[in-house]
Amino acid sequence: MSTPVEYQRRGSVGVITVNNPPVNALSTAVRQGIADGLARAAADPDARAAVIIGAGRTFIAGADIREFGKPLQPPDLNEVIRHIEQSTKPVVAALHGTALGGGFEVALGCHYRCAVPTAQLGFPEVKLGLLPGAGGTQRLPRVVGVEAALRMITSGDPIPAAQAKALGLVDEIVQGELLDGAVAFAERLAAEGKPLRKISEMQDKVGDVAPALFDEFRKGLGKSARGFEAPQRCADAVQAAATLPFAEGLKRERELFAGLMQGTQSKAQIHIFFSEREVTKIPDVPKETPVKPIGSAAVLGAGTMGGGIAMNFANAGIPVRVLEMSQEALDRGLAVVRKNYAATVEKGRLSQADMDRRMSLIGGTLSYGDIGSADIVVEAVFEEMAVKKQVFGILEKAARPDAILATNTSTLDIDEIASATSRPGQVIGTHFFSPANVMRLLEIVRGARTSKETIATAMDLARKIRKVGVLVGNCDGFVGNRMLHGYIREAEFLLAEGALPQQVDRVIYDFGLPMGPFTMGDLAGLDVGWRIRKGKAATRPTHLRYSPIGDRICEMGRFGQKTGAGWYRYEKGSRAPIPDPEIEALILRTAKEQGIERRQISDDEILKRCMYPLINEGARILEEGKALRASDIDVIYIYGYGFPVYRGGPMFYADTVGLGAVYDTICGFHKVHGEFWQPAPLLERLAREGKRFRDL
Ligand code: T1G
């Protein structure tokens, strides 16, 4: 096999080229190849300097994550970087694409760095539950100072070359061809006899740093880092750079890195890193399936969902026309869109010019005659089957014959909707999550007759509009909401049995979700679920336990935040949930009425009663083939429901608990609480075989 690193002299410069597609990850062979290339440059009498460059689309984008968890083969990256820094000839890093993680660390081991204007540099390790483990936490602060290093390493976000130059991380921006520029730069360095600048020897920026700065910084990490270990350890590592000599700081960094690598959080976050790429692979829809170009779109309905969906198209530069039934509804809907953009401009996350450009891409109309040119029509009208079928009947004639007809239904049967048209192959579900312009998850629901091209086009569109598109099967609630039924049901049952909304919400919040089921219900609006439950009341099996508490709250006109009261009450203008004695009284009354003896319920039972229905239903969904992989279900819960990424999603979390333990607990609940807790056969099988969901 050709080595992934080549050495070739250009003029008086030894060029070491890393060629390990797709992202030049630092596999064992690459690490060895760089070391060999360095040795050749050192031994090459005609080489007065060396350049390290990446072939293809990027410089080295980091350690090879696929090697994690396996025994580390020599040479150790720290060793390779030490060789670079100890080289007696100047070594220049030539950066393009994304110099990330270990790649950025290799660049910091070099004496100088040059980059094309579009290059980016960053330490994304924290997003994998790790920290830069090859000197990054020790060298970066020595160049940019402790505060900038803390921000860069704990955010994980890359910075553009120009900013890197301003920070002293890049010495020269190369406007032309990178290799030519880098070789010329290296030759100049050699000719001028420039000192070999070793970052590890730079002390002035890490000398006298007030210890309080680190505590302040840790406190400032705030909500976004809640529950994550890695950001805290990153701060510890940078603090070591400011308090220990380089060699000891490196050792401390290694200890902290090893601790994170052995922990569950990094395994969970790496699981999601690969899982969110895996979701794009659909066994029966090969990569080469033709994709229809989506140059224009139409959205039916300018309500909360319709407006948010339209914004997704405009954000991706796709002109979109929103259709409503009345001018008043259309104006109201577009005004909400404008308000949403203005709020983003207000926060400085969008320029006024960009907002204006996006608004100019969003047209409005009252006539179906205006959507005949759209490549895709997304219906986001009232969640009633009759209405949906009527609309699709009209689309049959109004939409272009080859247009894709997508429904944003959150639970209705895609096949029944498709039956209202003569083109079921072009009908697909695109279930956006509210708020549609914010939540990144898009459940793409395939009907029985949805064509492969339609699926491939929808999956490609998800990527274009910056959504994480997950293909799911057609069933009640699809995947995410179907699993959520049991979670909500058990949360309400726990109230009658002895818990209160604030206890359940605290347990779920502490587990890592952004909010518990009752706070979430009040935010989303309780009337939506109430209408669905009323629609199903006639067919609800009477022998199964049912909690009327949620219905009674709605009958009191309490729909949550939008009416100032729901499970909690809210002070005017505030979204802070306040426990309401009226709700506690309602809970007590209902328990009495149902003859339930209330008891003290432990936090542990609450967590299991709420989390395990997700796992059990997820297992059923896998068995039925309504999700392609357990990891797809994890991606749905991370991106659609805010499941903490450091727990990897409900199925990964189940694997970390152990399916045997999960199965035993569910059997226990089954004995006490009956049919709802019937263990899923797949869960039972895996538990008996001592296997995990990820072994499927
Ligand atoms: N290792 C192994 N495979 C990787 C990889 C990596 N670091 N990065 C990407 N891939 C695979 C990815 O799974 C996909 O595979 C293909 O490459 C294209 O990726 C010691 C310990 C670089 C911005 O965290 O952020 O260094 O699906 O679809 O959209 O201190 O990949 O085709 O089979 O994402 O153009 C730090 C992670 C590692 C960077 C390119 N580095 N990668 O995005 O392509 S830890 C990272 C990315 C570390 C050191 C520490 C992105 C990208 P497949 P892609 P893209």
Side-chain angles (χ1 to χ4, degrees), residues 75-148:
D76 171 86
L77 185 56
N78 266 310
E79 269 312 291
V80 173
I81 293 172
R82 202 170 57 77
H83 287 155
I84 296 173
E85 204 175 50
Q86 299 307 329
S87 157
T88 53
K89 299 176 182 176
V91 182
V92 172
L95 308 179
H96 76 297
T98 49
L100 301 175
F104 188 11
E105 289 171 310
V106 164
L108 290 175
C110 296
H111 305 107
Y112 293 88
R113 286 153 293 282
C114 64
V116 294
T118 51
Q120 301 207 345
L121 298 78
F123 282 130
E125 289 87 338
V126 69
K127 295 179 178 174
L128 300 174
L130 297 169
L131 52 78
T137 65
Q138 306 304 303
R139 286 191 172 89
L140 185 65
R142 282 177 163 80
V143 178
V144 305
V146 164
E147 285 180 276

Side-chain angles (χ1 to χ4, degrees), residues 66-288:
R66 295 182 199 280
E67 287 185 356
F68 289 174
K70 297 171 191 152
L72 195 67
Q73 306 294 326
D76 171 86
L77 185 56
N78 266 310
E79 269 312 291
V80 173
I81 293 172
R82 202 170 57 77
H83 287 155
I84 296 173
E85 204 175 50
Q86 299 307 329
S87 157
T88 53
K89 299 176 182 176
V91 182
V92 172
L95 308 179
H96 76 297
T98 49
L100 301 175
F104 188 11
E105 289 171 310
V106 164
L108 290 175
C110 296
H111 305 107
Y112 293 88
R113 286 153 293 282
C114 64
V116 294
T118 51
Q120 301 207 345
L121 298 78
F123 282 130
E125 289 87 338
V126 69
K127 295 179 178 174
L128 300 174
L130 297 169
L131 52 78
T137 65
Q138 306 304 303
R139 286 191 172 89
L140 185 65
R142 282 177 163 80
V143 178
V144 305
V146 164
E147 285 180 276
L150 281 167
R151 275 195 302 277
M152 213 169 154
I153 292 173
T154 55
S155 73
D157 296 333
I159 59 171
Q163 190 182 345
K165 183 157 188 328
L167 286 168
L169 288 167
V170 163
D171 302 290
E172 175 143 316
I173 298 286
V174 173
Q175 293 303 345
E177 206 276 329
L178 177 58
L179 183 54
D180 296 347
V183 167
F185 181 49
E187 280 173 339
R188 261 201 332 274
L189 290 171
E192 289 160 12
K194 277 260 188 178
L196 300 179
R197 195 182 48 186
K198 299 176 186 172
I199 294 176
S200 59
E201 293 172 0
M202 292 158 63
Q203 281 303 111
D204 59 321
K205 294 209 170 158
V206 290
D208 51 352
V209 179
L213 180 144
F214 296 97
D215 301 337
E216 281 310 301
F217 184 80
R218 284 190 186 84
K219 271 198 223 97
L221 276 173
K223 260 175 56 174
S224 64
R226 180 170 71 92
F228 286 90
E229 284 165 37
Q232 306 296 337
R233 301 296 78 74
C234 288
D236 296 347
V238 174
Q239 186 159 11
T243 50
L244 299 171
F246 183 80
E248 281 163 57
L250 215 49
K251 249 208 267 27
R252 180 75 184 121
E253 175 192 86
R254 207 78 203 136
E255 286 160 14
L256 291 165
F257 178 84
L260 289 173
M261 184 66 101
Q262 274 135 35
T264 305
Q265 291 200 358
S266 63
K267 294 178 181 66
Q269 291 176 245
I270 289 169
H271 162 71
I272 291 300
F273 173 85
F274 285 119
S275 301
E276 65 182 324
R277 288 159 175 80
E278 197 65 14
V279 295
T280 62
K281 294 162 189 161
I282 299 158
D284 71 332
V285 180
K287 236 158 92 162
E288 51 281 352

